[in-house]
Amino acid sequence: MTVAAEGSPPLRMTRVRRNALLQSEPVQGFALISPTFLYALILLVLPILVVIAHSFWTQHYLTIDRTFTLENYRVALAEPIYRDLLWRSLYISLTVSLFTVVLAYPIAYFISFHGGRHKSLWLFLITIPFWTSYLLRVMSWKVILGYNGVLNSGLMGLGIIDEPSTALLYNSSAVIITLTHAWAAFAILPIFVSLEKVDRTLVEAATDLGDGPLRSFLRVTLPLSAPGVISAALIVMIPTVGDYVTPKLVGGKDGVMIANAIQAQFGKAANWPLGAALSVTTMLIVSLMAGATVLVIRTLQRMAR
């Protein structure tokens, strides 16, 4: 009884002091600051701190030459290493576009003219592999074309080669094969849409007038589906010029493309002006090539008529 009586006053004093503290103005003012306000304050202050840090770093550790010059464009166009990489990228892109369209057209033609009521199913099956990650598909081709990969093992099992070949991977051919597979569906779909718009009565009329299957295809079906072919070629050609992942994984030193050089300038070399010049130069050349491709195909289309 004595101990409890003696211990009660400090407990009552503690509660009194706590209530008085909670009712004080500084604590009540702090309680009015909501978490949302604090979060907004952080978002406002953090960019300012980043800008201040960047300015401090630039002034004390970096020297930026802001003089207007075209020297970087001269380097991008005149230096043999960048010129060769650009031409290699254009060659790979055009080759991939050609192979992709050549492989995609028969598939799209079969689905459009012979798919019947299963057209949607065929298109669904074509798009299934492209649900997976682009990186996983590139790595799959790396496994297939590798030294101990599926292709080498199959050729050795058939007795065609005695030992695994090193010529299948880490070269421009591996890049072309991988990119052709990666962009196949993007070529099939526009060609299929263009073939669906071909009037079947025109094909029947050509047959009735004595044209065989090949002649009616060349004179009717192919010219009418030319817009889809042009679209497929451009859809494949333009992105593949700037592809970075595929040359990095399966290209090796013989399959390096201009995008890898641009990444190196923005990364390890820390030469952003040259990287920007390479990017703009590549973009302009690709635009000119795309326009020239459209003009050539339309000219051939007029000549065929």
Side-chain angles (χ1 to χ4, degrees):
M1 293 294 293
T2 306
V3 175
E6 293 178 354
S8 298
L11 182 59
R12 288 195 297 272
M13 289 296 294
T14 300
R15 290 178 179 175
V16 171
R17 291 176 180 176
R18 184 179 62 184
N19 294 333
L21 181 62
L22 292 176
Q23 294 175 1
S24 64
E25 293 183 359
V27 174
Q28 289 181 350
F30 182 77
L32 294 176
I33 302 177
S34 63
T36 304
F37 176 78
L38 291 175
Y39 182 70
L41 184 63
I42 292 173
L43 291 180
L44 179 64
V45 173
L46 186 60
I48 298 176
L49 295 178
V50 171
V51 172
I52 294 174
H54 180 267
S55 301
F56 177 81
W57 173 267
T58 301
Q59 294 175 2
H60 291 80
Y61 296 98
L62 297 177
T63 300
I64 299 178
D65 186 4
R66 301 183 183 276
T67 305
F68 178 79
T69 178
L70 298 176
E71 178 63 20
N72 290 308
Y73 288 95
R74 186 198 66 80
V75 173
L77 293 172
E79 284 294 325
I81 181 172
Y82 300 123
R83 187 173 64 247
D84 293 344
L85 286 176
L86 182 57
W87 284 115
R88 179 189 293 173
S89 301
L90 295 176
Y91 163 75
I92 291 176
S93 176
L94 290 174
T95 306
V96 170
S97 301
L98 177 62
F99 287 171
T100 304
V101 170
V102 169
L103 293 175
Y105 198 98
I107 299 174
Y109 182 88
F110 172 79
I111 297 174
S112 179
F113 282 82
H114 304 285
R117 57 189 181 90
H118 300 295
K119 292 180 181 180
S120 300
L121 177 61
W122 282 110
L123 293 175
F124 174 75
L125 294 176
I126 288 171
T127 57
I128 282 179
F130 299 90
W131 294 1
T132 59
S133 170
Y134 178 79
L135 182 61
L136 290 178
R137 283 182 276 137
V138 175
M139 293 300 296
S140 299
W141 276 105
K142 188 174 183 180
V143 173
I144 294 172
L145 301 174
Y147 185 78
N148 294 318
V150 177
L151 188 56
N152 271 322
S153 299
L155 293 175
M156 290 178 62
L158 295 174
I160 299 176
I161 58 176
D162 297 329
E163 60 182 9
S165 174
T166 58
L168 299 176
L169 192 60
Y170 300 126
N171 50 45
S172 57
S173 299
V175 177
I176 292 172
I177 293 172
T178 305
L179 289 176
T180 300
H181 170 261
W183 290 92
F186 296 95
I188 293 173
L189 295 178
I191 296 175
F192 169 79
V193 172
S194 182
L195 288 171
E196 283 291 284
K197 295 180 180 179
V198 174
D199 191 350
R200 300 308 195 259
T201 59
L202 296 177
V203 180
E204 295 176 358
T207 303
D208 294 338
L209 293 174
D211 285 346
L214 180 60
R215 188 175 177 84
S216 64
F217 170 77
L218 294 176
R219 296 186 62 181
V220 178
T221 307
L222 184 58
L224 292 177
S225 62
V229 174
I230 296 174
S231 301
L234 293 179
I235 288 172
V236 174
M237 183 187 69
I238 294 174
T240 52
V241 174
D243 194 282
Y244 164 77
V245 176
T246 303
K248 183 75 173 179
L249 295 178
V250 302
K253 63 181 182 64
D254 294 329
V256 177
M257 296 172 64
I258 191 65
N260 303 104
I262 294 173
Q263 187 276 336
Q265 296 302 322
F266 280 100
K268 295 181 180 179
N271 191 349
W272 288 24
L274 180 56
L278 290 171
S279 301
V280 173
T281 302
T282 304
M283 181 182 65
L284 291 176
I285 293 177
V286 171
S287 300
L288 292 175
M289 285 187 57
T293 302
V294 173
L295 291 177
V296 169
I297 294 178
R298 287 186 176 179
T299 303
L300 294 175
Q301 187 178 4
R302 292 194 198 99
M303 293 175 61
R305 292 177 182 176

Short mmCIF file of all heavy atoms in Angstrom, two decimals, residues 129-163:
data_model
loop_
_atom_site.label_atom_id
_atom_site.label_comp_id
_atom_site.label_asym_id
_atom_site.label_seq_id
_atom_site.Cartn_x
_atom_site.Cartn_y
_atom_site.Cartn_z
N PRO A 129 5.21 -15.56 -80.47
CA PRO A 129 6.62 -15.42 -80.06
C PRO A 129 7.00 -14.00 -79.66
O PRO A 129 7.98 -13.81 -78.92
CB PRO A 129 7.39 -15.85 -81.32
CG PRO A 129 6.44 -16.70 -82.09
CD PRO A 129 5.10 -16.09 -81.83
N PHE A 130 6.26 -13.02 -80.12
CA PHE A 130 6.61 -11.63 -79.84
C PHE A 130 5.99 -11.13 -78.54
O PHE A 130 6.10 -9.95 -78.22
CB PHE A 130 6.18 -10.75 -81.02
CG PHE A 130 6.89 -11.13 -82.29
CD1 PHE A 130 6.34 -12.08 -83.14
CD2 PHE A 130 8.11 -10.57 -82.61
CE1 PHE A 130 7.00 -12.45 -84.30
CE2 PHE A 130 8.76 -10.93 -83.77
CZ PHE A 130 8.22 -11.86 -84.62
N TRP A 131 5.35 -12.03 -77.81
CA TRP A 131 4.91 -11.67 -76.47
C TRP A 131 6.07 -11.70 -75.48
O TRP A 131 6.00 -11.08 -74.44
CB TRP A 131 3.81 -12.64 -76.00
CG TRP A 131 2.54 -12.54 -76.77
CD1 TRP A 131 2.26 -11.72 -77.84
CD2 TRP A 131 1.35 -13.29 -76.56
NE1 TRP A 131 0.99 -11.92 -78.30
CE2 TRP A 131 0.40 -12.88 -77.53
CE3 TRP A 131 0.98 -14.28 -75.66
CZ2 TRP A 131 -0.88 -13.42 -77.61
CZ3 TRP A 131 -0.29 -14.82 -75.73
CH2 TRP A 131 -1.21 -14.39 -76.69
N THR A 132 7.10 -12.45 -75.82
CA THR A 132 8.26 -12.54 -74.95
C THR A 132 9.15 -11.32 -75.13
O THR A 132 9.02 -10.56 -76.10
CB THR A 132 9.06 -13.82 -75.24
OG1 THR A 132 9.50 -13.79 -76.61
CG2 THR A 132 8.22 -15.05 -75.02
N SER A 133 10.08 -11.16 -74.23
CA SER A 133 10.98 -10.02 -74.27
C SER A 133 11.89 -10.07 -75.49
O SER A 133 12.33 -11.13 -75.92
CB SER A 133 11.83 -9.99 -73.00
OG SER A 133 12.85 -9.03 -73.09
N TYR A 134 12.16 -8.90 -76.05
CA TYR A 134 13.08 -8.81 -77.19
C TYR A 134 14.45 -9.33 -76.80
O TYR A 134 15.13 -10.00 -77.59
CB TYR A 134 13.16 -7.36 -77.64
CG TYR A 134 14.12 -7.12 -78.79
CD1 TYR A 134 13.75 -7.43 -80.10
CD2 TYR A 134 15.37 -6.56 -78.58
CE1 TYR A 134 14.61 -7.20 -81.15
CE2 TYR A 134 16.24 -6.34 -79.62
CZ TYR A 134 15.85 -6.66 -80.91
OH TYR A 134 16.72 -6.44 -81.95
N LEU A 135 14.88 -9.04 -75.58
CA LEU A 135 16.19 -9.49 -75.11
C LEU A 135 16.24 -11.01 -75.04
O LEU A 135 17.26 -11.63 -75.39
CB LEU A 135 16.48 -8.88 -73.74
CG LEU A 135 17.83 -9.22 -73.11
CD1 LEU A 135 18.97 -8.74 -74.00
CD2 LEU A 135 17.93 -8.60 -71.73
N LEU A 136 15.15 -11.64 -74.60
CA LEU A 136 15.13 -13.10 -74.51
C LEU A 136 15.21 -13.73 -75.90
O LEU A 136 15.87 -14.76 -76.08
CB LEU A 136 13.86 -13.55 -73.80
CG LEU A 136 13.76 -13.25 -72.31
CD1 LEU A 136 12.44 -13.73 -71.76
CD2 LEU A 136 14.92 -13.90 -71.55
N ARG A 137 14.57 -13.12 -76.89
CA ARG A 137 14.64 -13.67 -78.25
C ARG A 137 16.05 -13.55 -78.82
O ARG A 137 16.52 -14.45 -79.51
CB ARG A 137 13.62 -12.96 -79.15
CG ARG A 137 12.20 -13.45 -78.91
CD ARG A 137 11.23 -12.76 -79.84
NE ARG A 137 10.80 -11.49 -79.29
CZ ARG A 137 10.68 -10.38 -80.00
NH1 ARG A 137 10.99 -10.37 -81.27
NH2 ARG A 137 10.26 -9.27 -79.44
N VAL A 138 16.72 -12.44 -78.53
CA VAL A 138 18.11 -12.30 -78.99
C VAL A 138 19.00 -13.32 -78.30
O VAL A 138 19.87 -13.95 -78.94
CB VAL A 138 18.61 -10.86 -78.72
CG1 VAL A 138 20.08 -10.73 -79.08
CG2 VAL A 138 17.79 -9.86 -79.51
N MET A 139 18.80 -13.52 -77.01
CA MET A 139 19.60 -14.52 -76.29
C MET A 139 19.32 -15.92 -76.80
O MET A 139 20.19 -16.78 -76.79
CB MET A 139 19.32 -14.41 -74.79
CG MET A 139 19.80 -13.11 -74.16
SD MET A 139 21.57 -12.86 -74.33
CE MET A 139 22.19 -14.24 -73.36
N SER A 140 18.09 -16.18 -77.23
CA SER A 140 17.76 -17.49 -77.79
C SER A 140 18.57 -17.75 -79.05
O SER A 140 19.09 -18.86 -79.25
CB SER A 140 16.27 -17.57 -78.10
OG SER A 140 15.50 -17.40 -76.92
N TRP A 141 18.69 -16.74 -79.91
CA TRP A 141 19.51 -16.91 -81.11
C TRP A 141 20.99 -17.06 -80.76
O TRP A 141 21.74 -17.73 -81.47
CB TRP A 141 19.30 -15.73 -82.06
CG TRP A 141 18.10 -15.92 -82.92
CD1 TRP A 141 16.90 -15.30 -82.82
CD2 TRP A 141 17.98 -16.83 -84.02
NE1 TRP A 141 16.04 -15.75 -83.77
CE2 TRP A 141 16.67 -16.69 -84.54
CE3 TRP A 141 18.85 -17.74 -84.63
CZ2 TRP A 141 16.22 -17.44 -85.62
CZ3 TRP A 141 18.40 -18.47 -85.71
CH2 TRP A 141 17.11 -18.32 -86.19
N LYS A 142 21.40 -16.46 -79.69
CA LYS A 142 22.78 -16.64 -79.24
C LYS A 142 23.03 -18.08 -78.83
O LYS A 142 24.10 -18.65 -79.10
CB LYS A 142 23.08 -15.69 -78.08
CG LYS A 142 24.54 -15.65 -77.66
CD LYS A 142 24.78 -14.59 -76.61
CE LYS A 142 26.26 -14.51 -76.25
NZ LYS A 142 26.51 -13.47 -75.23
N VAL A 143 22.04 -18.69 -78.21
CA VAL A 143 22.15 -20.11 -77.84
C VAL A 143 22.11 -21.00 -79.09
O VAL A 143 22.86 -21.97 -79.20
CB VAL A 143 21.02 -20.49 -76.86
CG1 VAL A 143 21.01 -21.99 -76.61
CG2 VAL A 143 21.17 -19.73 -75.56
N ILE A 144 21.25 -20.65 -80.05
CA ILE A 144 21.12 -21.47 -81.26
C ILE A 144 22.39 -21.41 -82.09
O ILE A 144 22.87 -22.44 -82.61
CB ILE A 144 19.92 -20.98 -82.09
CG1 ILE A 144 18.61 -21.25 -81.33
CG2 ILE A 144 19.88 -21.69 -83.45
CD1 ILE A 144 17.40 -20.64 -81.98
N LEU A 145 22.99 -20.22 -82.22
CA LEU A 145 24.15 -20.05 -83.09
C LEU A 145 25.48 -20.23 -82.38
O LEU A 145 26.53 -20.11 -83.03
CB LEU A 145 24.11 -18.66 -83.74
CG LEU A 145 22.87 -18.33 -84.59
CD1 LEU A 145 22.90 -16.88 -85.02
CD2 LEU A 145 22.79 -19.25 -85.79
N GLY A 146 25.46 -20.50 -81.09
CA GLY A 146 26.69 -20.58 -80.32
C GLY A 146 27.57 -21.75 -80.70
O GLY A 146 27.20 -22.65 -81.47
N TYR A 147 28.78 -21.75 -80.13
CA TYR A 147 29.78 -22.78 -80.45
C TYR A 147 29.26 -24.17 -80.10
O TYR A 147 29.43 -25.12 -80.85
CB TYR A 147 31.08 -22.49 -79.69
CG TYR A 147 32.21 -23.42 -80.04
CD1 TYR A 147 32.95 -23.24 -81.21
CD2 TYR A 147 32.57 -24.46 -79.19
CE1 TYR A 147 33.99 -24.09 -81.53
CE2 TYR A 147 33.62 -25.31 -79.50
CZ TYR A 147 34.32 -25.12 -80.67
OH TYR A 147 35.36 -25.97 -80.98
N ASN A 148 28.61 -24.28 -78.96
CA ASN A 148 28.00 -25.54 -78.56
C ASN A 148 26.47 -25.45 -78.64
O ASN A 148 25.77 -26.11 -77.89
CB ASN A 148 28.42 -25.91 -77.13
CG ASN A 148 29.90 -26.20 -77.03
OD1 ASN A 148 30.47 -26.86 -77.91
ND2 ASN A 148 30.55 -25.71 -75.97
N GLY A 149 25.99 -24.63 -79.57
CA GLY A 149 24.57 -24.38 -79.67
C GLY A 149 23.82 -25.44 -80.43
O GLY A 149 24.36 -26.47 -80.85
N VAL A 150 22.53 -25.16 -80.63
CA VAL A 150 21.63 -26.12 -81.26
C VAL A 150 22.03 -26.39 -82.71
O VAL A 150 22.05 -27.55 -83.16
CB VAL A 150 20.18 -25.59 -81.20
CG1 VAL A 150 19.23 -26.54 -81.92
CG2 VAL A 150 19.75 -25.38 -79.75
N LEU A 151 22.38 -25.35 -83.45
CA LEU A 151 22.70 -25.52 -84.87
C LEU A 151 23.98 -26.32 -85.06
O LEU A 151 24.04 -27.24 -85.89
CB LEU A 151 22.82 -24.15 -85.54
CG LEU A 151 22.98 -24.16 -87.06
CD1 LEU A 151 21.83 -24.91 -87.73
CD2 LEU A 151 23.06 -22.74 -87.59
N ASN A 152 25.02 -25.98 -84.31
CA ASN A 152 26.27 -26.75 -84.42
C ASN A 152 26.07 -28.20 -84.00
O ASN A 152 26.61 -29.12 -84.63
CB ASN A 152 27.35 -26.10 -83.56
CG ASN A 152 28.14 -25.05 -84.33
OD1 ASN A 152 28.44 -25.22 -85.50
ND2 ASN A 152 28.48 -23.96 -83.66
N SER A 153 25.31 -28.42 -82.94
CA SER A 153 25.06 -29.80 -82.49
C SER A 153 24.28 -30.58 -83.55
O SER A 153 24.57 -31.76 -83.81
CB SER A 153 24.28 -29.77 -81.18
OG SER A 153 25.01 -29.10 -80.17
N GLY A 154 23.30 -29.93 -84.18
CA GLY A 154 22.54 -30.61 -85.22
C GLY A 154 23.38 -30.94 -86.44
O GLY A 154 23.28 -32.04 -87.01
N LEU A 155 24.24 -30.01 -86.88
CA LEU A 155 25.10 -30.27 -88.02
C LEU A 155 26.11 -31.36 -87.73
O LEU A 155 26.41 -32.20 -88.60
CB LEU A 155 25.83 -28.97 -88.42
CG LEU A 155 24.94 -27.85 -88.98
CD1 LEU A 155 25.76 -26.59 -89.23
CD2 LEU A 155 24.24 -28.30 -90.25
N MET A 156 26.61 -31.40 -86.51
CA MET A 156 27.54 -32.47 -86.14
C MET A 156 26.81 -33.81 -86.06
O MET A 156 27.35 -34.85 -86.44
CB MET A 156 28.21 -32.14 -84.80
CG MET A 156 29.20 -30.99 -84.87
SD MET A 156 29.92 -30.59 -83.26
CE MET A 156 30.76 -32.13 -82.89
N GLY A 157 25.58 -33.79 -85.57
CA GLY A 157 24.82 -35.03 -85.49
C GLY A 157 24.49 -35.61 -86.85
O GLY A 157 24.42 -36.82 -87.03
N LEU A 158 24.31 -34.71 -87.85
CA LEU A 158 24.04 -35.17 -89.22
C LEU A 158 25.31 -35.52 -89.98
O LEU A 158 25.23 -36.00 -91.12
CB LEU A 158 23.27 -34.09 -89.99
CG LEU A 158 21.85 -33.77 -89.47
CD1 LEU A 158 21.27 -32.58 -90.23
CD2 LEU A 158 20.94 -34.99 -89.60
N GLY A 159 26.46 -35.28 -89.37
CA GLY A 159 27.72 -35.60 -90.03
C GLY A 159 28.16 -34.58 -91.06
O GLY A 159 29.08 -34.85 -91.83
N ILE A 160 27.53 -33.40 -91.09
CA ILE A 160 27.90 -32.38 -92.07
C ILE A 160 29.21 -31.71 -91.69
O ILE A 160 30.04 -31.39 -92.56
CB ILE A 160 26.77 -31.34 -92.20
CG1 ILE A 160 25.48 -32.03 -92.67
CG2 ILE A 160 27.17 -30.22 -93.15
CD1 ILE A 160 24.28 -31.10 -92.75
N ILE A 161 29.43 -31.51 -90.41
CA ILE A 161 30.70 -30.93 -89.94
C ILE A 161 31.27 -31.84 -88.87
O ILE A 161 30.56 -32.62 -88.22
CB ILE A 161 30.50 -29.51 -89.38
CG1 ILE A 161 29.48 -29.51 -88.24
CG2 ILE A 161 30.05 -28.55 -90.48
CD1 ILE A 161 29.31 -28.15 -87.57
N ASP A 162 32.60 -31.79 -88.72
CA ASP A 162 33.28 -32.64 -87.75
C ASP A 162 33.45 -31.96 -86.40
O ASP A 162 33.56 -32.64 -85.38
CB ASP A 162 34.67 -33.04 -88.29
CG ASP A 162 34.57 -33.89 -89.55
OD1 ASP A 162 33.56 -34.62 -89.69
OD2 ASP A 162 35.47 -33.78 -90.40
N GLU A 163 33.51 -30.66 -86.39
CA GLU A 163 33.67 -29.91 -85.15
C GLU A 163 32.83 -28.65 -85.21
O GLU A 163 32.50 -28.18 -86.31
CB GLU A 163 35.14 -29.56 -84.91
CG GLU A 163 35.76 -28.72 -85.99
CD GLU A 163 37.22 -28.43 -85.74
OE1 GLU A 163 37.79 -29.03 -84.80
OE2 GLU A 163 37.77 -27.59 -86.46
#
